[in-house]
Amino acid sequence: MNSSAHTSVPEPLISQLAHEADLLDLIELFVHELPRRVEAMEAALHANDLSALAGIVHQLKGAAGSYGFPIITLAAKQLEDAAKSGAAPEQLASDMRRVAGLCARARAAPACAERGV
Amino acid sequence: MNDDQNKKKLLVVDDDPQQLAIMQRLLSSGEHDVLTAGSGAEAMGIILGEEPRIVITDWFMPGMDGIQLCKTLRQHEGVRFVYIIVMTAQGGEECMVQALDAGADDFVRKPLKQAELLARLRAADRIVCAESDLAKRTRELHRTNAEMALTHQKLNKANEQLRRMATTDELTGLLNRREAMSRIEQFWASMERYDQIFSCIMLDIDFFKKFNDTHGHAAGDKVLKTTAQVLRSTCRKTDLVSRVGGEEFLILCPGVGADGAKICAEHLRAAVEKTAIEYEGTPMLITASLGVAGGSKLYENSDALIKAADEALYASKAAGRNRVTVAADLNAPRTEPGAKPAAAPKPIVVRTGP
């Protein structure tokens, strides 16, 4: 239901666990905290501290899956691999943008989305 | 610490607080008391302190990672068995192999589905219960073994004491009559079967009853004890000294014929004679009469041999005491054709004493 394609209009990325009422508050908290994670990653990338970047992205990679965002996990894995292998700055910047973009679209449930699914 | 309570304790280790939060939530419907740790080091502290039986740990963490945690737990002597589940967001078969080889019991990939997680924990509980049961049985077995070893030790000690009591004369510490009779039977059998010679010396303290009546039982006991010491220290190590009656001693001399035993008997007589027994400050002198009989197949049995030594002893008494008498040489009658071996040979008095 969520497109991973780059579109000009940001489409909300709804957690696959949105139907789990028990988890909703936690997912909302996770989504709420995503900008903080993205900021930390961008700061590390800006400081060219690739090992710190890899660490933060690794955490995101694990947590995102658990919170119903497997697509963020995939993107995070790509960025983590790039950071670990010391990829070219352009590559890192591109992977970073992709992760940040997905994080910005993440929503806990359709009710939290700006538009309906 | 209550084992049943610890069985329910479960520790989740992850450096991401939100990963811990969702794990805690997923596990809240299960039967476990969920503890959390944000690092491997923190996990070690909780494991040692709270003794959870199941640990679910993230692989990649700063500092001690999940694999190091596995290895540490498996190598740590003081840590009892914990069931370890390693979870990771990535990794194929080689990661699983690495985790299991490091000591993990299970390997799961994030994201964890609640149903799967709880099912894996039920499997973990079965192992933990089986391990607890086994550990309990092992402890019981060790305790039973220790108790049995102790009982065995006590029994051995009691048996040893009984054996000593059954074979030893309480007053003198010498072999008692029963043991002496058993030994002479063995010597007799060895002589019959292998021609191994031996002799017996019967010794009786002179005028002991009179001495006892005059000076009392305590003095009599002192005389018996001292005589026993003198006999033991004068004999060869291979000789067996026993007390077979009130003031009567039997000395068995393996490997020695009547001639050798006669010399031994004379040594004993002289040793008794020269021993001054101190009793309440007064030195007392005693003497002993002895009878010697060399073991020979010409005696009907060991009883006949002892009887011969006894008769030689009484010949010593009759001849004035404090002397040694050797029973008749039983080989002599064999030279007479048709003559029967003497069952009770007439003692020949050999006066060696004063």
Side-chain angles (χ1 to χ4, degrees), chain B residues 98-334:
Chain B
Q98 196 187 339
L100 296 178
D101 281 348
D105 298 289
D106 199 3
F107 178 86
V108 293
R109 288 189 185 83
K110 294 180 197 173
L112 294 165
K113 301 269 192 313
Q114 189 180 33
E116 178 190 341
L117 183 60
L118 295 179
R120 286 186 186 275
L121 287 179
R122 285 194 294 275
D125 280 337
R126 288 196 292 271
I127 302 292
V128 165
C129 282
E131 197 279 337
S132 288
D133 202 34
L134 194 65
K136 195 174 150 200
R137 281 164 197 247
T138 306
R139 277 198 304 276
E140 280 168 7
L141 203 61
H142 282 165
R143 201 179 53 232
T144 311
N145 277 350
E147 282 168 3
M148 274 174 69
L150 194 67
T151 308
H152 190 70
Q153 204 177 11
K154 283 181 184 167
L155 204 61
N156 274 346
K157 207 174 158 188
N159 279 340
E160 172 61 25
Q161 204 174 351
L162 268 176
R163 196 189 59 77
R164 210 172 37 242
M165 282 165 68
T167 59
T168 308
D169 173 58
E170 202 181 349
L171 179 69
T172 61
L174 298 177
L175 299 182
N176 63 16
R177 180 179 184 86
R178 183 217 308 262
E179 184 63 11
M181 294 307 123
S182 159
R183 298 295 183 96
I184 199 172
E185 279 304 325
Q186 288 168 17
F187 285 140
W188 185 266
S190 291
M191 183 190 74
E192 282 195 323
R193 181 75 179 81
Y194 302 111
D195 288 324
Q196 287 176 351
I197 60 167
F198 76 100
S199 297
C200 54
I201 302 170
M202 200 61 94
L203 180 149
D204 193 278
I205 298 171
D206 295 329
F207 300 117
F208 182 78
K209 282 187 174 64
K210 198 174 151 193
F211 183 94
N212 227 10
D213 292 344
T214 312
H215 300 284
H217 284 291
D221 285 353
K222 178 80 196 258
V223 167
L224 291 170
K225 280 189 200 174
T226 310
T227 305
Q229 282 165 12
V230 169
L231 297 182
R232 199 147 46 181
S233 60
T234 309
C235 276
R236 297 172 307 172
K237 275 187 178 172
T238 46
D239 296 338
L240 298 176
V241 185
S242 57
R243 179 175 172 225
V244 293
E247 71 275 23
E248 205 172 30
F249 299 85
L250 172 64
I251 300 103
L252 297 172
C253 310
V256 173
D259 291 346
K262 190 183 107 186
I263 296 167
C264 176
E266 178 50 36
H267 284 156
L268 296 176
R269 188 204 61 75
V272 171
E273 184 181 33
K274 74 169 191 213
T275 303
I277 301 167
E278 282 277 339
Y279 185 73
E280 290 181 345
T282 317
M284 300 178 291
L285 290 169
I286 55 159
T287 59
S289 299
L290 296 91
V292 175
S296 164
K297 289 179 193 175
L298 294 172
Y299 288 107
E300 198 183 339
N301 52 31
S302 60
D303 286 347
L305 176 66
I306 292 171
K307 195 167 176 243
D310 238 358
E311 282 174 1
L313 164 64
Y314 281 101
S316 289
K317 293 268 185 194
R321 296 185 172 83
N322 191 24
R323 67 197 65 211
V324 174
T325 305
V326 180
D329 182 356
L330 287 187
N331 289 319
R334 293 179 75 192

Side-chain angles (χ1 to χ4, degrees), chain B residues 61-81:
Chain B
M61 292 181 288
M64 180 189 273
D65 68 18
I67 295 301
Q68 286 169 318
L69 180 62
C70 282
K71 288 182 177 168
T72 309
L73 287 176
R74 293 305 184 228
Q75 284 162 6
H76 211 294
E77 285 283 323
V79 179
R80 64 176 299 183
F81 174 77

Side-chain angles (χ1 to χ4, degrees), chain B residues 16-43:
Chain B
D16 189 301
Q18 289 190 312
Q19 181 67 46
L20 281 181
I22 195 156
M23 288 287 290
Q24 231 172 339
R25 184 66 60 86
L26 292 177
L27 293 166
S28 62
S29 64
E31 292 176 345
H32 296 91
D33 300 331
V34 182
L35 310 166
T36 59
S39 69
E42 192 190 342

